[in-house]
Amino acid sequence: MVNLGRILSRATAKPFTTGNLETEERPYLNENGYVDFKEGDVEDPHNWSTTRRWYITLCSVLLLVNATFASSSVSGCLPSVSEDFGISEEAAGLTITLFLLGYCAGPLFFAPLSEYYGRRWIFYSTFLLYIAFNFLCAFAPNFGSLLVGRFLTGTFVSAPLSNGPGVLADLWGPVERGNAMAIFSCMVWVGPSLGPIVGGFLQLTKDWRWSFYVLLWMGGGTALFMFTIPETYGPKILVNRARRIRQAKIPGYENVKAPVEEGDRSLIQIYKVALTRPWIILFDTISFLCAVYMSVVYTLLYMLFTIYPIVFQQRRGWNAGVGELPLIGTTVGACIGAVIVIFDSKYKAKKLKAGVEIKPEDRLTLAIIGGILFPITMFWFAWTAEYNWIHWSVPTIAGVFLATALMLIFVGYLNYLVDSYLMYAASAIAVNTVTRSACGAAAPLFTNYMFEALGIGGGGSLIGGVATVLAVIPFAFYKYGERIRIRSRFAPTNLQKPKPDDEEAQRREKGGKAAELRTDLPPPLSSSSSTMMEDGGKELRGEKRQEGEDDDIRNESRELTVENVEYGKEQQ
């Protein structure tokens, strides 16, 4: 019987199998004597067929949709939760809060594990646990059980948020990855907007438990596709290849190793970096201001799921289902933002190919546009929603462009974080993810009180005023960003290399030319915004190639991510 692991993990026929390895060509080793991918290697994910890579990409996006849809699906059924357990709607909002707090905890643990055990096994284990604990939510005997289930489901389903972009970086080259990352980023916004719509109609005809039945059905269907996702993490594939070669006992190759097998690559070392460095970087000027701005953006995203029912259900008298339909406008706005991101990606990719140097501050174009639109569309939405005599389509259209603005800010700042912090980008994005998720988790607890006290116009104007103040930040970074980075310990520039007192910088100093190669590359673009660095069209071999792959993975959207492949190489 064929081994199940071989069916689920093989992208194509192996070039080396333990049964006939000696009759095949000799195993490829790089210039440093490590097992590596050769040119056109069939096991290199970048060499898989375009059809297969798109299939795996869509499977990863489907996992993300489950995560984001689940985060807000119960918001449309909060009155039912409140009635069933005899609690207030604000207390029922804890079901969203605890789920988002799970977003904070999960990435810090699952992203490092994916570097140790590979992508697919983290997907398999965490998603199955997510489905299992959704049964606890669906059949919760009391409110406490429901809250525990929501926190655990949020924790486990956060793995696609942190590891999904890593899969896309494994599959696609820096330039061609644009469209895939645009779709992935768009789903971060579309999923939460669709959840309340489904929940609202279930509130009319069923009860809150049906929202979890829907999640179980979605999860079950998605799991069928998830099990077809092969291992895509290059270093892990090389580890498996090295093991097969050693098992074959070919003369001269009995002790070959993959690059990451050299040294003490332990989970303790991985977590030592994963759980400490992000909090140090948080208080760096660029990281801190980006965290503040993006926390406001993410908080507003989850405030909208309370604001829309106030506007269209309480004020205009629509029912729980129809009253959530205007949220479709936010999904349209997110798609518009994705299209803008794609065009921006292509424009910057052309500049890179033409040899034009792009500084990190050049990535702020999207954030500047979004920063200007944010207060304008917020005031537009707030004061057209305040008066019922204004047609419902007017605030709905405002919501479309508000969502576009929020996505452009979100993507623009992720761009800037990645390009500013380079080898420390994953840590910067990790702590940014935790802070904005924590702020978003608080949104359901105070939004009702805020808008009852201030009204739609007043509450929206308060948010618009904050957005107006924050809109100065991208302009300030655009003008003074390079000076700030020169003074930063973690944001290296061409004028200043990373401080040698940092353990990672010391490791890079030992890397000699490999370390120099990294600083000489054009500043990488955030894969979350679908803009990638041009590497000359040629993959690096040996250790240099491995570091190039690390860069790709580092430049992820960490809606979600805490990816940092350097952890796995900490002792090299």
Side-chain angles (χ1 to χ4, degrees):
M1 183 176 179
V2 179
N3 184 282
L4 182 61
R6 303 185 72 164
I7 295 175
L8 297 180
S9 66
R10 293 297 171 264
T12 181
K14 285 185 189 178
F16 311 119
T17 58
T18 55
N20 61 358
L21 188 57
E22 290 191 80
T23 62
E24 301 284 349
E25 60 182 290
R26 311 302 287 178
Y28 175 79
L29 303 180
N30 64 25
E31 60 186 8
N32 296 303
Y34 294 117
V35 175
D36 204 346
F37 294 124
K38 62 181 179 180
E39 194 70 31
D41 200 314
V42 295
E43 283 197 272
D44 185 349
H46 287 273
N47 293 326
W48 297 350
S49 69
T50 301
T51 301
R52 182 174 182 82
R53 285 183 289 164
W54 267 114
Y55 172 79
I56 299 171
T57 296
L58 294 178
C59 288
S60 300
V61 170
L62 193 56
L63 289 172
L64 176 70
V65 171
N66 276 263
T68 56
F69 182 89
S71 69
S72 63
S73 63
V74 73
S75 66
C77 303
L78 292 183
S80 178
V81 175
S82 175
E83 181 181 354
D84 196 6
F85 292 114
I87 57 176
S88 67
E89 286 197 29
E90 285 71 27
L94 286 171
T95 55
I96 301 174
T97 297
L98 269 294
F99 191 94
L100 292 177
L101 289 179
Y103 274 9
C104 299
L108 292 175
F109 291 95
F110 298 137
L113 281 177
S114 74
E115 300 162 14
Y116 198 81
Y117 295 107
R119 312 277 193 210
R120 65 172 184 143
W121 291 114
I122 300 302
F123 282 151
Y124 294 175
S125 58
T126 57
F127 197 74
L128 290 178
L129 286 170
Y130 158 73
I131 294 175
F133 282 105
N134 260 325
F135 279 100
L136 173 60
C137 296
F139 300 101
N142 51 59
F143 187 56
S145 301
L146 178 59
L147 293 182
V148 170
R150 285 292 284 175
F151 176 75
L152 292 175
T153 52
T155 300
F156 290 121
V157 85
S158 65
L161 291 171
S162 60
N163 297 347
V167 171
L168 304 191
D170 296 338
L171 295 172
W172 302 98
V175 176
E176 60 185 351
R177 196 187 307 140
N179 293 340
M181 280 299 183
I183 295 173
F184 195 92
S185 300
C186 184
M187 291 301 106
V188 172
W189 298 90
V190 171
S193 299
L194 295 179
I197 297 173
V198 176
F201 281 103
L202 291 174
Q203 168 75 17
L204 285 178
T205 58
K206 302 293 182 180
D207 61 21
W208 63 270
R209 296 183 188 273
W210 277 84
S211 65
F212 292 101
Y213 299 158
V214 171
L215 294 181
L216 287 170
W217 295 334
M218 283 183 60
T222 301
L224 298 178
F225 293 97
M226 176 192 68
F227 283 117
T228 65
I229 297 177
E231 182 57 66
T232 62
Y233 186 44
K236 182 63 177 178
I237 294 175
L238 291 176
V239 168
N240 293 337
R241 171 182 284 185
R243 288 174 181 169
R244 295 198 307 270
I245 294 174
R246 290 195 295 267
Q247 290 173 0
K249 298 180 180 179
I250 304 175
Y253 295 89
E254 297 89 345
N255 299 311
V256 294
K257 294 182 179 180
V260 296
E261 291 182 294
E262 186 67 27
D264 179 21
R265 183 175 175 263
S266 65
L267 280 176
I268 294 177
Q269 291 297 325
I270 292 174
Y271 277 111
K272 177 183 176 182
V273 179
L275 299 179
T276 56
R277 183 187 295 149
W279 302 106
I280 299 173
I281 292 180
L282 173 62
F283 296 100
D284 199 60
T285 303
I286 293 174
S287 176
F288 182 77
L289 292 178
C290 288
V292 170
Y293 204 157
M294 294 177 71
S295 294
V296 171
V297 168
Y298 210 66
T299 301
L300 178 58
L301 172 65
Y302 283 90
M303 288 178 71
L304 291 177
F305 307 140
T306 302
I307 297 172
Y308 269 70
I310 294 175
V311 172
F312 295 102
Q313 296 177 36
Q314 296 182 19
R315 293 293 188 92
R316 296 177 184 257
W318 296 9
N319 63 43
V322 177
E324 300 284 3
L325 287 177
L327 280 170
I328 294 177
T330 62
T331 68
V332 174
C335 293
I336 293 174
V339 172
I340 295 174
V341 166
I342 290 174
F343 279 105
D344 181 72
S345 303
K346 292 181 178 179
Y347 171 72
K348 288 186 170 62
K350 289 180 180 178
K351 291 181 66 176
L352 286 170
K353 288 181 179 179
V356 178
E357 180 182 1
I358 296 181
K359 298 180 179 179
E361 286 69 34
D362 294 327
R363 312 291 194 259
L364 290 169
T365 307
L366 295 175
I368 289 173
I369 296 172
I372 296 172
L373 283 177
F374 185 4
I376 293 174
T377 53
M378 192 67 236
F379 285 119
W380 175 9
F381 175 82
W383 290 105
T384 56
E386 174 71 19
Y387 304 104
N388 290 345
W389 54 267
I390 298 178
H391 195 269
W392 62 267
S393 63
V394 179
T396 301
I397 294 173
V400 172
F401 293 104
L402 176 61
T404 300
L406 297 181
M407 183 171 176
L408 292 179
I409 293 170
F410 183 79
V411 165
Y413 275 111
L414 285 179
N415 261 340
Y416 189 53
L417 281 174
V418 168
D419 293 348
S420 294
Y421 289 99
L422 295 177
M423 70 282 291
Y424 306 113
S427 295
I429 292 175
V431 74
N432 187 281
T433 299
V434 172
T435 54
R436 70 173 182 261
S437 295
C439 291
L445 304 181
F446 67 82
T447 306
N448 258 325
Y449 294 116
M450 174 179 169
F451 281 85
E452 284 178 4
L454 301 178
I456 302 299
S461 295
L462 176 60
I463 298 172
V466 173
T468 302
V469 174
L470 294 177
V472 176
I473 295 177
F475 288 96
F477 280 156
Y478 192 82
K479 184 173 183 179
Y480 302 108
E482 186 170 7
R483 301 181 194 176
I484 296 173
R485 288 187 288 112
I486 290 174
R487 294 178 175 84
S488 171
R489 175 185 174 187
F490 296 100
T493 66
N494 291 332
L495 303 178
Q496 174 179 314
K497 293 184 179 180
K499 298 291 185 181
D501 57 338
D502 182 270
E503 60 177 275
E504 187 167 0
Q506 292 176 352
R507 180 172 62 82
R508 292 188 174 280
E509 287 296 328
K510 295 178 182 179
K513 294 182 180 180
E516 293 176 8
L517 175 65
R518 179 179 302 283
T519 58
D520 291 340
L521 284 171
L525 295 166
S526 170
S527 57
S528 68
S529 70
S530 311
T531 52
M532 310 301 153
M533 70 176 180
E534 171 60 51
D535 61 358
K538 182 178 181 180
E539 294 289 347
L540 299 174
R541 299 291 109 186
E543 287 186 343
K544 294 181 180 180
R545 175 197 169 98
Q546 182 62 49
E547 292 188 7
E549 290 178 350
D550 288 357
D551 278 339
D552 286 347
I553 298 172
R554 240 175 248 117
N555 298 342
E556 296 160 10
S557 160
R558 263 55 306 121
E559 169 58 45
L560 311 357
T561 184
V562 63
E563 296 289 349
N564 194 337
V565 294
E566 294 181 30
Y567 303 159
K569 298 176 63 181
E570 198 65 35
Q571 298 299 316
Q572 288 188 30

